[in-house]
Amino acid sequence: MAGVLEQLERAKSSGRKLLGVLIDPDLGGHAEQLERTVQNACMAKADLLLVGGSLMTTDLFDGVVARVKQLSDRPVLLFPGSATQVSGHADAMLFLSLISGRNAELLIGQHVVAAPAIRALGLETVPTGYLLVDGGRPTTASYISQTHPIPHDKPGIAAATALAGVLLGLRCIYLDTGSGALRSVDAAMVQAVRKAVDVPLIVGGGIRTREQAQTLCEAGADMLVVGTAFEEDPELIFAMSEAVHR
Ligand code: 1GP
């Protein structure tokens, strides 16, 4: 079976848009909600399940990934906030370098710590340039990462940053306003990054409506990631999946 990076690249080449559902690993303490989220994601034909976050308040990470994998017929992709979020139960991991920031720990430090375990587990990595974008208020991601998000109305900065990442060899770009952001990335920024680089483009943070989803896909996003909106309204995933896939 093709790896996750290859699946992203194939989808991009064929113009098929993907929906990723972000599972908060702290849901490990809420078994029913976790099950319902994963089941809804599978029924709605979401394409991938992502597990991870900037801050975990439990030590259940590996168990949550194992449970998600057990419940799901979709690929499970780690979206790690730190080197502690590595699990051999996943199909692959976004190996994220926070290239919009200048925090050496999140550019390369945590990667060094995690690399031996990743190799030992034989886990596929998707080398990804992660760009944090201002979404209208400080988020856990901006606070914990101790980085300045890119101003939302500066698409040129995002495009130059994404291009630098690709020139360094990164295979995927993730534009994110952070979980629970007041607004999503602007379509103009997605368009500018799309124009600058030819790798799969993931967009997340603050996506709450099918209209937003459609606009971001039309602007050039290859995959959208949604978490908070589905926690607040579990049924929304069906409409969102339809909007992304049509
Ligand atoms: C955050 O892109 C994800 O990193 C999802 O954000 O929880 O706001 O949907 P939301």
Side-chain angles (χ1 to χ4, degrees), residues 207-218 239-240 243:
I207 302 172
R208 292 172 183 279
T209 67
R210 50 185 298 157
E211 291 76 19
Q212 271 177 309
Q214 264 169 291
T215 303
L216 292 168
C217 286
E218 282 163 16
M240 197 72 94

Side-chain angles (χ1 to χ4, degrees), residues 150-171:
I150 296 174
H152 77 96
D153 58 350
K154 298 288 181 190
I157 296 178
T161 306
L163 180 58
V166 169
L167 293 178
L168 278 166
L170 298 174
R171 305 282 298 274

Side-chain angles (χ1 to χ4, degrees), residues 86 110-122:
V86 176
Q110 292 290 304
H111 313 67
V112 175
V113 175
I118 294 169
R119 172 55 58 86
L121 290 166

Side-chain angles (χ1 to χ4, degrees), residues 20 22 50 52-54 79 130 132 141 174-183 202-208 224-231:
L22 179 63
L50 288 84
S54 309
F79 176 52
Y130 183 72
L132 199 52
Y174 193 146
L175 283 175
D176 196 354
T177 53
S179 197
L182 292 179
R183 62 169 173 250
I202 304 173
V203 178
I207 302 172
R208 292 172 183 279
L224 302 185
V225 177
V226 180
T228 306
F230 298 155
E231 283 172 23

